[in-house]
Structure formats: structure tokens, C-alpha cells
């Protein structure tokens, strides 16, 4: 397909984003439906989510025909590596944008919105404004944490690309000092750094992971403390 038409390109990107969002939204609805005992509705949402995925894939194939694999057996090893290299490069580009631009900007916007609502709090609707301010504070906190998660993802994709192109695998080890040992959530990749702590959750900077209360949960996805594992970092990092 000829994508020289900029409008069509934009429309395909918009359609891909919309179908992708619909997939995750319907899966969330399915989870809620299961929790409330509406199993038939949960099944409906899940089936529709899968259909939205196919729609999104169809749009993405038009955006990136170079990634479409029709006959894997006909490809040489170099061709296979080139396709995977392209996938990793696109993944790195996306994750890098998220941690360098998107989430920092979102966090700054959340802070500014909180300040604006604080002014309104003194004039009218104090109770609602206070609640909104808390929501924006929470959003700013989450965006700040997600910035580091996307950095981690981009880093791992970069390592995979280096290995794919013939480089040596990166050696990662756990830090021996519990005062600086980072932990990562298995569910969402949120990274707990004891140096920073989690002040918004009442965990002071300098708190080792072992000293966090057992009822502490991941500030991103709500996973329990048991869902975290030691983060292995690059040697020399």
C-alpha cells in the first residue's frame, strides 16, 4: 500500500491507536464483569477485545509492511535478523519517547493542574477540588514512576538488539548491599529504589526493601510486596 499520502498515514496511526486502546479497555471491562459475577458479559468483552486486536494488527501491517512475515521458511537468517532488528528498533524508539518526553511532560502537567485546582479550592468547591488535587498528585507520581519503567524497557530492548547483531550478552547481577539493592515488580516492572523510597506511600528515602511493611503495595499496579523480585543490574552500573 502506498503511504505517501500523509492523511492516510495519520488515519492508519489513529485507527491503530484506537483499536489498541479498545482491546485493553474491553479486557478491563471483562475483568470487572468477572469480579461482579457477570461471566457472560466478561466473555463478550474478551471476545470483542480479541477482534479489536486483529483490527489493530491489520492496521499495523499496513503501516509496517516490512514486518509482515508470510513464509518464514523462505527467509534467510539475515532477513530474519533484519526483521527482528527493526522490531527492536521500533520498540526502543517508543520506550525512549515515553521515558524522555511523554511521562516527564505528563508529570509536569499534573503538577500544574494540581496548582490550578488548589486556587479554586480557596474560592469554591473546596472538597471536590481537594479530591481532584489528590488525583493529579497521584497521576504525577505514577507518571514519574512510569518514566523509569520505560527507561528500563528501552534498555533491555537495546541489549537484545546488540545481541541480535552479534554483540555479547550484557552481564547483570544483584547488588550485594541491601541498602542500595533495587527490586522490580513482576507484574508491571515498577522499580523500587531504596535510595528514593516511596514517600507518597509513607516509605521514607533510605528504606531497604526488607524493611517495607508487608502490606505495602506497588504504587503502579497494586501488586503485593511478594510480587517483587531483586533487580539485576548491569555490571559496573
Amino acid at each position: 500500500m502506498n503511504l505517501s499520502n500523509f492523511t492516510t498515514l495519520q488515519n492508519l496511526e489513529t485507527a491503530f491507536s484506537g483499536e489498541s486502546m479498545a482491546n485493553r479497555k474491553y479486557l478491563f471491562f471483562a475483568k470487572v464483569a468477572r469480579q461482579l459475577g457477570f461471566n457472560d458479559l466478561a466473555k463478550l468483552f474478551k471476545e470483542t477485545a480479541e477482534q479489536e486486536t486483529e483490527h489493530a494488527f491489520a492496521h499495523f501491517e499496513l503501516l509496517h509492511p516490512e514486518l509482515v512475515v508470510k513464509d518464514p521458511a523462505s527467509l534467510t537468517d539475515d532477513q530474519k535478523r533484519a526483521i527482528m532488528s527493526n522490531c527492536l528498533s521500533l520498540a526502543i524508539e517508543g520506550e525512549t519517547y515515553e521515558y524522555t518526553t511523554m511521562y516527564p511532560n505528563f508529570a509536569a502537567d499534573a503538577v500544574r493542574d494540581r496548582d490550578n485546582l488548589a486556587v479554586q479550592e480557596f474560592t469554591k468547591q473546596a472538597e471536590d477540588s481537594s479530591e481532584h488535587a489528590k488525583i493529579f498528585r497521584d497521576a504525577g507520581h505514577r507518571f514519574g514512576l512510569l518514566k523509569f519503567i520505560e527507561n528500563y524497557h528501552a534498555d533491555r530492548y537495546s541489549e537484545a538488539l546488540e545481541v541480535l547483531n552479534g554483540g555479547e550478552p550484557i552481564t547483570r547481577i544483584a547488588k550485594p548491599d541491601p541498602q542500595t539493592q533495587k527490586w522490580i515488580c513482576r507484574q508491571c516492572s515498577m522499580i523500587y529504589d531504596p535510595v528514593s523510597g516511596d514517600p507518597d506511600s509513607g516509605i521514607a528515602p533510605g528504606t531497604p526493601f526488607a524493611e517495607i511493611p508487608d502490606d505495602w503495595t506497588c504504587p503502579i499496579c497494586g501488586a503485593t510486596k511478594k510480587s517483587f523480585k531483586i533487580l539485576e543490574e548491569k555490571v559496573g552500573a
Side-chain angles (χ1 to χ4, degrees):
M1 179 177 181
N2 184 3
L3 292 183
S4 60
N5 188 314
F6 183 68
T7 300
T8 299
L9 175 62
Q10 283 189 314
N11 288 342
L12 278 172
E13 291 178 339
T14 299
F16 173 71
S17 297
E19 299 288 3
S20 300
M21 184 181 298
N23 165 267
R24 309 320 293 176
K25 181 169 61 179
Y26 294 159
L27 287 179
F28 181 85
F29 292 166
K31 176 183 176 181
V32 173
R34 282 195 302 273
Q35 291 174 325
L36 298 179
F38 295 97
N39 294 327
D40 289 343
L41 287 178
K43 181 180 178 182
L44 173 62
F45 281 126
K46 187 174 185 298
E47 289 176 351
T48 308
E50 292 171 353
Q51 294 165 5
E52 301 290 16
T53 295
E54 292 305 316
H55 299 166
F57 282 2
H59 298 325
F60 197 76
E61 287 177 355
L62 291 175
L63 287 166
H64 293 280
E66 74 280 5
L67 301 179
V68 177
V69 179
K70 295 182 178 179
D71 183 13
S74 68
L75 300 176
T76 65
D77 288 344
D78 285 344
Q79 288 173 322
K80 293 177 181 178
R81 279 193 291 270
I83 291 174
M84 289 313 306
S85 177
N86 198 348
C87 289
L88 287 167
S89 295
L90 288 171
I92 293 168
E93 178 184 350
E95 299 291 346
T96 300
Y97 165 73
E98 289 178 2
Y99 82 80
T100 61
T101 303
M102 188 177 79
Y103 283 124
N105 288 347
F106 284 178
D109 289 342
V111 171
R112 284 194 295 271
D113 286 344
R114 180 197 62 188
D115 291 342
N116 291 337
L117 286 170
V119 173
Q120 298 176 22
E121 182 176 342
F122 291 113
T123 58
K124 61 180 179 178
Q125 299 178 350
E127 184 175 340
D128 287 345
S129 294
S130 177
E131 179 61 26
H132 291 166
K134 179 180 183 303
I135 291 173
F136 286 123
R137 281 196 299 272
D138 290 344
H141 179 51
R142 284 196 174 199
F143 290 146
L145 293 174
L146 286 168
K147 174 182 67 176
F148 295 108
I149 293 173
E150 305 309 342
N151 190 350
Y152 171 76
H153 288 165
D155 196 34
R156 296 307 295 265
Y157 283 139
S158 296
E159 292 175 18
L161 181 58
E162 289 181 13
V163 173
L164 183 69
N165 291 331
E168 293 295 324
I170 301 296
T171 301
R172 288 177 172 270
I173 61 173
K175 287 186 176 180
D177 184 1
Q179 300 295 323
T180 58
Q181 174 64 63
K182 298 177 182 178
W183 290 68
I184 185 169
C185 177
R186 291 186 177 92
Q187 187 163 302
C188 73
S189 295
M190 179 269 175
I191 298 172
Y192 175 78
D193 184 350
V195 175
S196 302
D198 183 17
D200 286 352
S201 300
I203 309 300
T207 304
F209 189 79
E211 296 180 12
I212 296 177
D214 291 338
D215 60 356
W216 176 82
T217 58
C218 175
I220 294 294
C221 68
T224 65
K225 182 181 176 181
K226 292 181 179 179
S227 299
F228 281 70
K229 65 178 182 178
I230 291 176
L231 175 66
E232 294 185 338
E233 302 182 67
K234 293 180 184 179
V235 173

